[in-house]
Amino acid sequence: MRDRIIAYAYLIRLDKPIGTLLLLWPTLWALWLASGGIPKWHLLIIFILGTFLMRSAGCAMNDYADQDFDRHVLRTKNRPITSGKISGKEALAVAATLALIAYLLIQPLNALTQELSFFALALAIIYPFTKRFFAIPQAVLGIAFGFGIPMAYAAVLDFIPMEAWILFVGNIFWAIAYDTAYAMVDRDDDLRLGLRTSAITFGRFDVLAIALSYSLLFLSQIWVAQLANLNNYFWVGWFFAVACAAYHLKLVASRKREDCFKAFRHNNWLGGFLFLGILLGLT
């Protein structure tokens, strides 16, 4: 039983919280902006727990979908399903259970938020399979990872304003940036297996594509800041985030696996600094 629990923990990436954080930051941006300051505590708790649950469910679904590929990749061959510690059916059961708990968690919220949750679930299911046919699956990841944005606005305002969609689109480009860096780590293995990733699609223009994606993220943040009437303290977090992006570009320019993975992980700081900018801009 102890080994099984440990295997489940690895399945939902308890040892790798970076994915949860990259999903959480855009949700926090949206909650603070929609609320015009500190959101209600019950909303904050619901969305933080929901983010963790849906990211965990997504990891289980991803491992189920990729089990035939993961065993051929050095970085993923020891994951719980591919190593035989748990079965694919168990992974599906874990994903379904976590998604159900997340759905139950949002029952106190309004109907619009509940309706949006079905789209979020569909994206979590669909994304792992897009690597088989879509040239830039990282864009689908960005939609999935950013869906907390319209849901947060819906929960607070019961409608979704334009600034939410601008924030949402900016988050898609952020995901393309950081997940392209992540995909650069496995590019050789993915080419051998016939998978599609943005790192493969962009080819020798991968660093340029990451730079352009970051640029669109930062422009979207400026636009949102204007729409939300944030004060000049917003720029403090924004400039720190830009500095993070410059550091990431320096890392990925080497195209070394360890540097690309380091750039991916460091995006937690970028998301945090953008949240700091929003936080200060609302004071």
Side-chain angles (χ1 to χ4, degrees):
M1 180 59 69
R2 177 179 176 274
D3 290 343
R4 184 61 55 88
I5 292 173
I6 292 173
Y8 287 155
Y10 280 115
L11 176 71
I12 64 174
R13 310 289 198 275
L14 282 183
D15 60 318
K16 296 176 180 177
I18 180 64
T20 300
L21 293 169
L22 293 175
L23 183 58
L24 181 61
W25 286 126
T27 306
L28 295 180
W29 303 342
L31 277 174
W32 254 259
L33 285 166
S35 302
I38 299 175
K40 294 180 179 178
W41 285 106
H42 78 281
L43 288 178
L44 191 57
I45 292 170
I46 287 172
F47 274 93
I48 289 175
L49 290 176
T51 296
F52 169 74
L53 290 167
M54 287 308 298
R55 189 260 177 165
S56 299
C59 289
M61 189 66 208
N62 183 79
D63 283 10
Y64 172 79
D66 286 353
Q67 58 184 301
D68 292 332
F69 299 109
D70 284 348
R71 60 174 53 96
H72 301 293
V73 179
L74 179 64
R75 185 178 58 83
T76 59
K77 67 180 183 179
N78 291 319
R79 284 180 173 173
I81 300 178
T82 54
S83 61
K85 293 183 176 68
I86 62 174
S87 68
K89 290 182 178 180
E90 284 180 283
L92 283 179
V94 169
T97 301
L98 293 172
L100 177 60
I101 296 171
Y103 180 69
L104 293 174
L105 193 64
I106 64 168
Q107 290 311 293
L109 305 184
N110 57 44
L112 178 57
T113 309
Q114 293 181 32
E115 290 167 5
L116 289 171
S117 71
F118 289 104
F119 289 97
L121 176 61
L123 288 166
I125 294 172
I126 292 169
Y127 163 68
F129 297 98
T130 59
K131 289 174 278 187
R132 293 160 171 77
F133 62 87
F134 189 53
I136 308 178
Q138 282 68 24
V140 182
L141 177 73
I143 296 172
F145 266 41
F147 219 76
I149 293 172
M151 288 184 67
Y153 273 91
V156 175
L157 304 175
D158 205 15
F159 72 97
I160 306 172
M162 180 185 292
E163 72 178 52
W165 296 116
I166 297 169
L167 199 67
F168 180 64
V169 172
N171 184 75
I172 294 173
F173 285 104
W174 184 33
I176 292 173
Y178 65 65
D179 211 53
T180 297
Y182 190 42
M184 289 168 72
V185 177
D186 295 331
R187 179 155 44 192
D188 293 340
D189 291 320
D190 290 337
L191 280 167
R192 178 168 48 84
L193 294 169
L195 295 174
R196 299 190 179 191
T197 70
S198 56
I200 293 171
T201 300
F202 295 142
R204 63 191 179 92
F205 299 107
D206 47 6
V207 177
L208 176 61
I210 292 172
L212 289 174
S213 296
Y214 274 137
S215 298
L216 290 168
L217 163 68
F218 294 128
L219 287 173
S220 71
Q221 290 277 321
I222 294 173
W223 193 356
V224 168
Q226 292 175 339
L227 290 173
N229 295 314
L230 300 187
N231 63 45
N232 287 332
Y233 289 113
F234 158 79
W235 294 104
V236 174
W238 189 89
F239 278 115
F240 273 116
V242 170
C244 285
Y247 173 58
H248 302 163
L249 290 171
K250 180 180 178 181
L251 287 172
V252 298
S254 73
R255 294 186 172 83
K256 295 179 181 178
R257 289 192 176 201
E258 58 273 17
D259 288 343
C260 292
F261 189 58
K262 186 176 182 179
F264 163 73
R265 288 175 56 85
H266 197 265
N267 269 273
N268 173 49
W269 288 96
L270 189 154
F273 281 128
L274 288 178
F275 175 66
L276 176 64
I278 291 170
L279 194 67
L280 293 174
L282 287 168
T283 57

